[in-house]
Amino acid sequence: MKNQVSRYIEDFMAGIQSRNPAEPEFYQAVHEVVESLAPFIVENPVLMKNKILERMAEPERVIMFRVPWLDDRGEVQINRGFRVQMNSAIGPYKGGIRFHASVNLGILKFLAFEQVFKNSLTSLPMGGGKGGSDFNPKGKSDNEVMKFCQSFITELHRHIGPNLDVPAGDIGVGGREVAYMFGQYKRLRNEFTGTFTGKGLDFGGSPLRPEATGFGTVYFAQEMLKTRNDSFKGKTVAISGSGNVAQYAAQKVIELGGTVVTFSDSNGSIYDPKGITTEKLEYVMMLKNAIRGRIKEYAEKYPEAEYWEGSRPWKAKCDIALPCATQNELNGDDAQVLVENGCYCVAEGANMPSTPEAIKVFHDRKILYGPGKAANAGGVAVSGLEMSQNSMRLQWTPEEVDAKLHSIMINIHETCVKNGTDASGYVNYVNGANISGFHKVANAMLAQGLV
Ligand code: NAP
């Protein structure tokens, strides 16, 4: 049996690598899932025969296109746009749009693949997709960002729709970008429908969508802590990133009585041993969202904080770590430093921030470790709730949405515990999330035949 499982994993990964050259992030995401599911799949001839996982690792459709636009100097700029429509077995494709210089097809395939499992975990009827561009919004004027978004949607509009594919935000895409894309979509299609989520509150957005991923990550961590009769109260928390997810994760941690001591961006980290208070967090929100500044400026404003140029925040002593920036931002060495400094709970606000070596350290040391596809599912869950509100032409209150978000995160945690607890009683949330997310999609694919 053990041999059969290892052979299945080896053959599966050899197939993935030969069909998808030079896509390391995609291999990493697929490998993690295959490792969790292989023991179950080799025991289920129906899944083997119908090649369910093989089909799940092949996008239903990939759209790749030229995005030409004029910058403020009147110069022509050309970027590349993508939409990966990974799986629509349980609902319309759903997943964010990322604008970052590093975006390529392999990164979007990893994100779209993870999204399929995550969306299934929320228990809402959403398939998985992801899109984006190598456009770098940093340093661009509002006018340039608008022109880029309009050109991007001029092509993408024909491939998306409220019952087909519903994009949202991700790195580099927040309320401003979603609004520009929605406006252009509406103009080209001559319709007002909920084709984007993360819209402004005045035009169909859901209360709490901006907060949802960060809040949801903390709710998930709270559930993990409860399994050890523990809570955020009095705990020191290290957070990476300083964008949407990081900011609202910090807000919820502070609300629950924890002390946040770090933030970061792609240039470095700040460490504030006195703690980032609500007032300091408001400054970070203004700095990052309104004036689009760098986290370094925090240490200039608050001299009690240190700025660690070019360094990640993981050397800060903490009880709980919430990686909320980007993929592979926490490696094996970082994980070792974290656990040696006493960290015993890691919940991922970002997608795949921990490398396989880091995850091994967490599992070997049996600390609480919540992978992104479970821990950060609150964002897409509230996007699903935004779709429901749009279809019903009504808007719930923030309290109603928060209650639904909270209960979805509690449910996801429960399913992970159910499917991820090993013989020793340790909860392997990676297995729990992969197995739980897989079932519903696999059943739907089996029922729908060879499509
Ligand atoms: P965001 O608002 O654009 O913020 C991203 C943050 O991460 C920024 O502080 C950014 O720093 C930092 N960052 C980006 N690339 C980096 C790199 N290569 N190295 C170090 N730092 C980097 O994006 P976000 O929406 O918070 O997304 C953060 C993570 O959460 C991503 O993994 C995303 O896929 C995941 N996620 C987001 C949502 C959502 O609802 N937004 C939902 C689920 C998962 P700079 O300013 O220097 O770029």
Side-chain angles (χ1 to χ4, degrees), residues 96 98-100 102 110-111 115 118 130 136-138 168-174 209-214 217 240-247 263-268 288-289 292-295 312 323-327 329 348-353 372 376-380 383:
R98 177 177 289 191
F99 291 163
H100 194 269
S102 65
F110 117 64
L111 289 163
Q115 196 81 46
K118 183 189 306 187
K130 200 85 187 187
N136 177 5
K138 277 193 206 115
D170 189 75
I171 292 179
V173 177
R209 177 59 190 89
E211 294 87 345
T213 310
T217 302
S240 65
S242 47
N244 171 269
V245 181
Q247 292 169 14
F263 271 137
S264 69
D265 62 21
S266 42
N267 297 107
K288 301 300 283 192
N289 309 348
R292 296 176 196 276
R294 311 303 302 156
I295 202 63
R312 296 157 167 173
C324 295
T326 192
Q327 65 273 2
E329 54 157 322
E348 296 181 340
N351 286 308
M352 210 169 76
N376 72 36
V380 75
S383 275

Side-chain angles (χ1 to χ4, degrees), residues 40 67 96 139 159 185 200 283 306 326:
F40 177 67
V67 190
H159 309 289
Y185 177 85
Y283 168 74
E306 295 169 22
T326 192

